[in-house]
Amino acid sequence: MSTAACTRWGLEGMIPAAPDGTIRLGGLALRDHWFDVPLEHAGPDGEAIRLYAREVVAVDKLRDSLPWLLFLQGGPGGKSPRPDGASGWIGRAVKDYRVLLLDQRGTGLSSPLTARTVVRRGDPAAQADYLAHFRADAIVADAEHVRRALLGPDGRWSVLGQSFGGFCALTYLSFAPEGLAAAYLTGGLGPLEASAEQVYGATYEHARAKNAAFHAAFPDDRERLEAVAAHLRSNDVRLPDGSPLSVRRLQTLGMALGARSGVPSLHYLLEEAFVHGPAGPELSDTFLHGVHANLSFAANPMYAVLHEPCYAQQAATRWAAERTRPADFDPDVSPLLFTGEMIYPWMFEDDPALVPLRDAAELLAQRDDWPALYDRAALEGNDVPAAAALYTDDMYVDADLADQTAAAVRGLRVWKTNAYEHDGLRETDDVLDRLIAMVKGEL
């Protein structure tokens, strides 16, 4: 695109791409990278998949020799950020690093994992075997392949892991620490040995507390929520994709309560729940479209399929969130409680995007031969400089379990704070700034 075209389309911050494909945008220089990696790293001569990664560097440091920082996004199933300028944590990172935003296998521009691509694998058993190759251990093996391709066999880079990306960083420290110069974890001190049942036992408690805080902040929403639930119990309500909106699906809107930006959004959604239709009060199109946008897994079925397997190590999860669901979270109980970051088997019946994966998801839930995701002995002997932000009010990652993990990683420096929710890294550049200072020994 020419400079004149950039101006005509209102892209004054964008400079035409360089001959090598580099794009300049908002003070950043962006360049694409593609890699072919084995689907199964234990069988490197078998099927290959493609990985996409975006190199990001400050324009004024484009030609500088900078250390690399690999970013691992949350999820599972989350693609890397698409930056539009040198702001937030990316703006802070490019002061010190050349950043690589990796679309983890199955996400973004990497070989996609969707219901349609998975169903092509064959019967449910074949689908489940394929899906099992998308956990943290495979992501770390991918990262090592990319590191060697970009930096050479002896090059080392740092890693920043957000949420599930932090789980991946712990796996990296467990099995390939020789590739790391430093590790930063935000909201991602995953449980090393706790079972899925223990994880959900803790996170239901957090969801209960977040419900109380939400209704204390927006007291009128208690009545609104109960009115919506009563309406759903008495009427067949359909979302824009034709799927049913039940009370149990309504409850899962509570996933938003774990992010500071999600809390007001949920309030505003409930605020517009009803309109007066021909036969009386009915749920508004605005509300139903907003609910659908929040609940559909069409854009990320991997999250639903592999969420519980994130906690599976040599044991089956057997739908732990469903089995450990406390009685006060029952959809027929009043006052109604929102749930949190839980996946339930009935979602694979109610969400059209997940229905094709129902049988494969069931096989994954019953699978009991998962390989270990962490090596406790390696973590206890860790010598990679590392720092972590531990959010004490985190709805998704229990602080007590995170504390246990932190204590097991030799040399890990931990910043405990209630100043941010789980999405603190997205809120501000202060989180990463502090972690970098901690690794440098400045704090």
PDB file of all heavy atoms in Angstrom, residues 231-253:
ATOM      1  N   HIS A 231     -37.972 -16.049  33.281  1.00  0.00           N
ATOM      2  CA  HIS A 231     -38.464 -16.016  31.901  1.00  0.00           C
ATOM      3  C   HIS A 231     -37.971 -17.245  31.132  1.00  0.00           C
ATOM      4  O   HIS A 231     -38.733 -17.857  30.359  1.00  0.00           O
ATOM      5  CB  HIS A 231     -37.991 -14.737  31.218  1.00  0.00           C
ATOM      6  CG  HIS A 231     -38.536 -14.551  29.844  1.00  0.00           C
ATOM      7  ND1 HIS A 231     -39.775 -14.006  29.593  1.00  0.00           N
ATOM      8  CD2 HIS A 231     -37.999 -14.857  28.617  1.00  0.00           C
ATOM      9  CE1 HIS A 231     -39.993 -13.972  28.293  1.00  0.00           C
ATOM     10  NE2 HIS A 231     -38.925 -14.472  27.679  1.00  0.00           N
ATOM     11  N   LEU A 232     -36.712 -17.621  31.332  1.00  0.00           N
ATOM     12  CA  LEU A 232     -36.158 -18.770  30.626  1.00  0.00           C
ATOM     13  C   LEU A 232     -36.798 -20.074  31.079  1.00  0.00           C
ATOM     14  O   LEU A 232     -36.953 -21.011  30.280  1.00  0.00           O
ATOM     15  CB  LEU A 232     -34.640 -18.834  30.834  1.00  0.00           C
ATOM     16  CG  LEU A 232     -33.822 -17.682  30.244  1.00  0.00           C
ATOM     17  CD1 LEU A 232     -32.342 -17.850  30.576  1.00  0.00           C
ATOM     18  CD2 LEU A 232     -34.022 -17.583  28.740  1.00  0.00           C
ATOM     19  N   ARG A 233     -37.178 -20.164  32.338  1.00  0.00           N
ATOM     20  CA  ARG A 233     -37.824 -21.380  32.836  1.00  0.00           C
ATOM     21  C   ARG A 233     -39.217 -21.558  32.245  1.00  0.00           C
ATOM     22  O   ARG A 233     -39.720 -22.687  32.168  1.00  0.00           O
ATOM     23  CB  ARG A 233     -37.885 -21.351  34.362  1.00  0.00           C
ATOM     24  CG  ARG A 233     -36.525 -21.407  35.051  1.00  0.00           C
ATOM     25  CD  ARG A 233     -36.650 -21.500  36.567  1.00  0.00           C
ATOM     26  NE  ARG A 233     -35.328 -21.447  37.206  1.00  0.00           N
ATOM     27  CZ  ARG A 233     -34.872 -20.402  37.896  1.00  0.00           C
ATOM     28  NH1 ARG A 233     -35.651 -19.317  38.061  1.00  0.00           N
ATOM     29  NH2 ARG A 233     -33.663 -20.426  38.434  1.00  0.00           N
ATOM     30  N   SER A 234     -39.830 -20.487  31.808  1.00  0.00           N
ATOM     31  CA  SER A 234     -41.214 -20.532  31.328  1.00  0.00           C
ATOM     32  C   SER A 234     -41.336 -20.417  29.818  1.00  0.00           C
ATOM     33  O   SER A 234     -42.444 -20.557  29.279  1.00  0.00           O
ATOM     34  CB  SER A 234     -42.034 -19.407  31.981  1.00  0.00           C
ATOM     35  OG  SER A 234     -41.993 -19.484  33.388  1.00  0.00           O
ATOM     36  N   ASN A 235     -40.231 -20.136  29.123  1.00  0.00           N
ATOM     37  CA  ASN A 235     -40.300 -19.886  27.686  1.00  0.00           C
ATOM     38  C   ASN A 235     -39.150 -20.567  26.959  1.00  0.00           C
ATOM     39  O   ASN A 235     -38.058 -20.756  27.526  1.00  0.00           O
ATOM     40  CB  ASN A 235     -40.227 -18.373  27.404  1.00  0.00           C
ATOM     41  CG  ASN A 235     -41.387 -17.609  27.981  1.00  0.00           C
ATOM     42  OD1 ASN A 235     -42.429 -17.485  27.365  1.00  0.00           O
ATOM     43  ND2 ASN A 235     -41.208 -17.075  29.198  1.00  0.00           N
ATOM     44  N   ASP A 236     -39.412 -20.947  25.717  1.00  0.00           N
ATOM     45  CA  ASP A 236     -38.377 -21.493  24.851  1.00  0.00           C
ATOM     46  C   ASP A 236     -37.697 -20.321  24.157  1.00  0.00           C
ATOM     47  O   ASP A 236     -38.220 -19.767  23.187  1.00  0.00           O
ATOM     48  CB  ASP A 236     -38.990 -22.447  23.828  1.00  0.00           C
ATOM     49  CG  ASP A 236     -37.953 -23.036  22.875  1.00  0.00           C
ATOM     50  OD1 ASP A 236     -36.745 -23.004  23.224  1.00  0.00           O
ATOM     51  OD2 ASP A 236     -38.335 -23.495  21.785  1.00  0.00           O
ATOM     52  N   VAL A 237     -36.541 -19.953  24.663  1.00  0.00           N
ATOM     53  CA  VAL A 237     -35.812 -18.796  24.138  1.00  0.00           C
ATOM     54  C   VAL A 237     -34.628 -19.296  23.332  1.00  0.00           C
ATOM     55  O   VAL A 237     -33.887 -20.176  23.777  1.00  0.00           O
ATOM     56  CB  VAL A 237     -35.336 -17.872  25.277  1.00  0.00           C
ATOM     57  CG1 VAL A 237     -34.521 -16.717  24.729  1.00  0.00           C
ATOM     58  CG2 VAL A 237     -36.534 -17.369  26.071  1.00  0.00           C
ATOM     59  N   ARG A 238     -34.448 -18.706  22.149  1.00  0.00           N
ATOM     60  CA  ARG A 238     -33.378 -19.124  21.254  1.00  0.00           C
ATOM     61  C   ARG A 238     -32.402 -17.981  21.018  1.00  0.00           C
ATOM     62  O   ARG A 238     -32.796 -16.825  20.876  1.00  0.00           O
ATOM     63  CB  ARG A 238     -33.952 -19.579  19.908  1.00  0.00           C
ATOM     64  CG  ARG A 238     -34.892 -20.777  20.031  1.00  0.00           C
ATOM     65  CD  ARG A 238     -34.113 -22.064  20.175  1.00  0.00           C
ATOM     66  NE  ARG A 238     -34.915 -23.138  20.764  1.00  0.00           N
ATOM     67  CZ  ARG A 238     -34.562 -24.424  20.725  1.00  0.00           C
ATOM     68  NH1 ARG A 238     -33.418 -24.768  20.113  1.00  0.00           N
ATOM     69  NH2 ARG A 238     -35.298 -25.339  21.306  1.00  0.00           N
ATOM     70  N   LEU A 239     -31.121 -18.341  20.955  1.00  0.00           N
ATOM     71  CA  LEU A 239     -30.081 -17.381  20.619  1.00  0.00           C
ATOM     72  C   LEU A 239     -30.016 -17.218  19.101  1.00  0.00           C
ATOM     73  O   LEU A 239     -30.638 -17.986  18.363  1.00  0.00           O
ATOM     74  CB  LEU A 239     -28.739 -17.851  21.181  1.00  0.00           C
ATOM     75  CG  LEU A 239     -28.639 -17.871  22.712  1.00  0.00           C
ATOM     76  CD1 LEU A 239     -27.304 -18.451  23.148  1.00  0.00           C
ATOM     77  CD2 LEU A 239     -28.837 -16.480  23.289  1.00  0.00           C
ATOM     78  N   PRO A 240     -29.275 -16.244  18.604  1.00  0.00           N
ATOM     79  CA  PRO A 240     -29.234 -16.008  17.159  1.00  0.00           C
ATOM     80  C   PRO A 240     -28.806 -17.217  16.325  1.00  0.00           C
ATOM     81  O   PRO A 240     -29.163 -17.313  15.151  1.00  0.00           O
ATOM     82  CB  PRO A 240     -28.227 -14.859  17.025  1.00  0.00           C
ATOM     83  CG  PRO A 240     -28.386 -14.096  18.287  1.00  0.00           C
ATOM     84  CD  PRO A 240     -28.604 -15.148  19.344  1.00  0.00           C
ATOM     85  N   ASP A 241     -28.062 -18.161  16.892  1.00  0.00           N
ATOM     86  CA  ASP A 241     -27.667 -19.358  16.142  1.00  0.00           C
ATOM     87  C   ASP A 241     -28.706 -20.469  16.219  1.00  0.00           C
ATOM     88  O   ASP A 241     -28.481 -21.582  15.729  1.00  0.00           O
ATOM     89  CB  ASP A 241     -26.306 -19.875  16.613  1.00  0.00           C
ATOM     90  CG  ASP A 241     -26.301 -20.312  18.070  1.00  0.00           C
ATOM     91  OD1 ASP A 241     -27.351 -20.207  18.740  1.00  0.00           O
ATOM     92  OD2 ASP A 241     -25.239 -20.748  18.560  1.00  0.00           O
ATOM     93  N   GLY A 242     -29.850 -20.176  16.859  1.00  0.00           N
ATOM     94  CA  GLY A 242     -30.917 -21.162  16.970  1.00  0.00           C
ATOM     95  C   GLY A 242     -30.818 -22.072  18.171  1.00  0.00           C
ATOM     96  O   GLY A 242     -31.717 -22.887  18.416  1.00  0.00           O
ATOM     97  N   SER A 243     -29.755 -21.962  18.940  1.00  0.00           N
ATOM     98  CA  SER A 243     -29.584 -22.838  20.099  1.00  0.00           C
ATOM     99  C   SER A 243     -30.379 -22.317  21.288  1.00  0.00           C
ATOM    100  O   SER A 243     -30.676 -21.128  21.389  1.00  0.00           O
ATOM    101  CB  SER A 243     -28.105 -22.941  20.464  1.00  0.00           C
ATOM    102  OG  SER A 243     -27.602 -21.682  20.900  1.00  0.00           O
ATOM    103  N   PRO A 244     -30.740 -23.205  22.213  1.00  0.00           N
ATOM    104  CA  PRO A 244     -31.549 -22.786  23.360  1.00  0.00           C
ATOM    105  C   PRO A 244     -30.748 -21.987  24.377  1.00  0.00           C
ATOM    106  O   PRO A 244     -29.581 -22.289  24.643  1.00  0.00           O
ATOM    107  CB  PRO A 244     -32.016 -24.119  23.962  1.00  0.00           C
ATOM    108  CG  PRO A 244     -30.929 -25.088  23.588  1.00  0.00           C
ATOM    109  CD  PRO A 244     -30.451 -24.656  22.240  1.00  0.00           C
ATOM    110  N   LEU A 245     -31.384 -20.974  24.921  1.00  0.00           N
ATOM    111  CA  LEU A 245     -30.801 -20.270  26.064  1.00  0.00           C
ATOM    112  C   LEU A 245     -31.498 -20.774  27.307  1.00  0.00           C
ATOM    113  O   LEU A 245     -32.656 -20.456  27.565  1.00  0.00           O
ATOM    114  CB  LEU A 245     -30.971 -18.754  25.940  1.00  0.00           C
ATOM    115  CG  LEU A 245     -30.457 -17.945  27.142  1.00  0.00           C
ATOM    116  CD1 LEU A 245     -28.980 -18.232  27.409  1.00  0.00           C
ATOM    117  CD2 LEU A 245     -30.678 -16.452  26.937  1.00  0.00           C
ATOM    118  N   SER A 246     -30.829 -21.598  28.053  1.00  0.00           N
ATOM    119  CA  SER A 246     -31.346 -22.155  29.296  1.00  0.00           C
ATOM    120  C   SER A 246     -30.762 -21.391  30.471  1.00  0.00           C
ATOM    121  O   SER A 246     -29.838 -20.583  30.322  1.00  0.00           O
ATOM    122  CB  SER A 246     -30.963 -23.635  29.396  1.00  0.00           C
ATOM    123  OG  SER A 246     -29.545 -23.769  29.351  1.00  0.00           O
ATOM    124  N   VAL A 247     -31.266 -21.674  31.656  1.00  0.00           N
ATOM    125  CA  VAL A 247     -30.726 -21.037  32.852  1.00  0.00           C
ATOM    126  C   VAL A 247     -29.279 -21.462  33.074  1.00  0.00           C
ATOM    127  O   VAL A 247     -28.425 -20.653  33.448  1.00  0.00           O
ATOM    128  CB  VAL A 247     -31.593 -21.351  34.084  1.00  0.00           C
ATOM    129  CG1 VAL A 247     -30.977 -20.735  35.344  1.00  0.00           C
ATOM    130  CG2 VAL A 247     -33.012 -20.835  33.893  1.00  0.00           C
ATOM    131  N   ARG A 248     -28.996 -22.734  32.815  1.00  0.00           N
ATOM    132  CA  ARG A 248     -27.620 -23.195  33.042  1.00  0.00           C
ATOM    133  C   ARG A 248     -26.645 -22.516  32.080  1.00  0.00           C
ATOM    134  O   ARG A 248     -25.487 -22.277  32.434  1.00  0.00           O
ATOM    135  CB  ARG A 248     -27.555 -24.714  32.933  1.00  0.00           C
ATOM    136  CG  ARG A 248     -27.831 -25.288  31.556  1.00  0.00           C
ATOM    137  CD  ARG A 248     -27.866 -26.812  31.605  1.00  0.00           C
ATOM    138  NE  ARG A 248     -28.065 -27.404  30.270  1.00  0.00           N
ATOM    139  CZ  ARG A 248     -28.180 -28.702  30.050  1.00  0.00           C
ATOM    140  NH1 ARG A 248     -28.126 -29.556  31.072  1.00  0.00           N
ATOM    141  NH2 ARG A 248     -28.354 -29.177  28.836  1.00  0.00           N
ATOM    142  N   ARG A 249     -27.080 -22.210  30.861  1.00  0.00           N
ATOM    143  CA  ARG A 249     -26.203 -21.460  29.960  1.00  0.00           C
ATOM    144  C   ARG A 249     -26.087 -20.009  30.417  1.00  0.00           C
ATOM    145  O   ARG A 249     -25.004 -19.413  30.347  1.00  0.00           O
ATOM    146  CB  ARG A 249     -26.744 -21.499  28.528  1.00  0.00           C
ATOM    147  CG  ARG A 249     -26.599 -22.840  27.837  1.00  0.00           C
ATOM    148  CD  ARG A 249     -26.916 -22.748  26.348  1.00  0.00           C
ATOM    149  NE  ARG A 249     -25.780 -22.265  25.573  1.00  0.00           N
ATOM    150  CZ  ARG A 249     -25.833 -22.019  24.272  1.00  0.00           C
ATOM    151  NH1 ARG A 249     -26.981 -22.170  23.604  1.00  0.00           N
ATOM    152  NH2 ARG A 249     -24.759 -21.590  23.618  1.00  0.00           N
ATOM    153  N   LEU A 250     -27.180 -19.451  30.891  1.00  0.00           N
ATOM    154  CA  LEU A 250     -27.150 -18.079  31.407  1.00  0.00           C
ATOM    155  C   LEU A 250     -26.112 -17.943  32.512  1.00  0.00           C
ATOM    156  O   LEU A 250     -25.377 -16.945  32.577  1.00  0.00           O
ATOM    157  CB  LEU A 250     -28.533 -17.700  31.928  1.00  0.00           C
ATOM    158  CG  LEU A 250     -28.669 -16.327  32.601  1.00  0.00           C
ATOM    159  CD1 LEU A 250     -28.593 -15.214  31.557  1.00  0.00           C
ATOM    160  CD2 LEU A 250     -29.984 -16.243  33.380  1.00  0.00           C
ATOM    161  N   GLN A 251     -26.027 -18.929  33.369  1.00  0.00           N
ATOM    162  CA  GLN A 251     -25.083 -18.868  34.491  1.00  0.00           C
ATOM    163  C   GLN A 251     -23.638 -18.733  34.034  1.00  0.00           C
ATOM    164  O   GLN A 251     -22.823 -18.128  34.733  1.00  0.00           O
ATOM    165  CB  GLN A 251     -25.212 -20.129  35.354  1.00  0.00           C
ATOM    166  CG  GLN A 251     -26.480 -20.202  36.180  1.00  0.00           C
ATOM    167  CD  GLN A 251     -26.555 -21.504  36.943  1.00  0.00           C
ATOM    168  OE1 GLN A 251     -26.908 -22.551  36.385  1.00  0.00           O
ATOM    169  NE2 GLN A 251     -26.202 -21.465  38.216  1.00  0.00           N
ATOM    170  N   THR A 252     -23.322 -19.285  32.865  1.00  0.00           N
ATOM    171  CA  THR A 252     -21.930 -19.287  32.431  1.00  0.00           C
ATOM    172  C   THR A 252     -21.454 -17.920  31.962  1.00  0.00           C
ATOM    173  O   THR A 252     -20.256 -17.742  31.682  1.00  0.00           O
ATOM    174  CB  THR A 252     -21.687 -20.339  31.330  1.00  0.00           C
ATOM    175  OG1 THR A 252     -22.438 -20.001  30.165  1.00  0.00           O
ATOM    176  CG2 THR A 252     -22.094 -21.724  31.800  1.00  0.00           C
ATOM    177  N   LEU A 253     -22.364 -16.951  31.902  1.00  0.00           N
ATOM    178  CA  LEU A 253     -21.918 -15.570  31.671  1.00  0.00           C
ATOM    179  C   LEU A 253     -20.980 -15.101  32.771  1.00  0.00           C
ATOM    180  O   LEU A 253     -20.249 -14.123  32.607  1.00  0.00           O
ATOM    181  CB  LEU A 253     -23.113 -14.619  31.593  1.00  0.00           C
ATOM    182  CG  LEU A 253     -24.010 -14.717  30.354  1.00  0.00           C
ATOM    183  CD1 LEU A 253     -25.256 -13.859  30.555  1.00  0.00           C
ATOM    184  CD2 LEU A 253     -23.253 -14.281  29.105  1.00  0.00           C
TER     185      LEU A 253
END
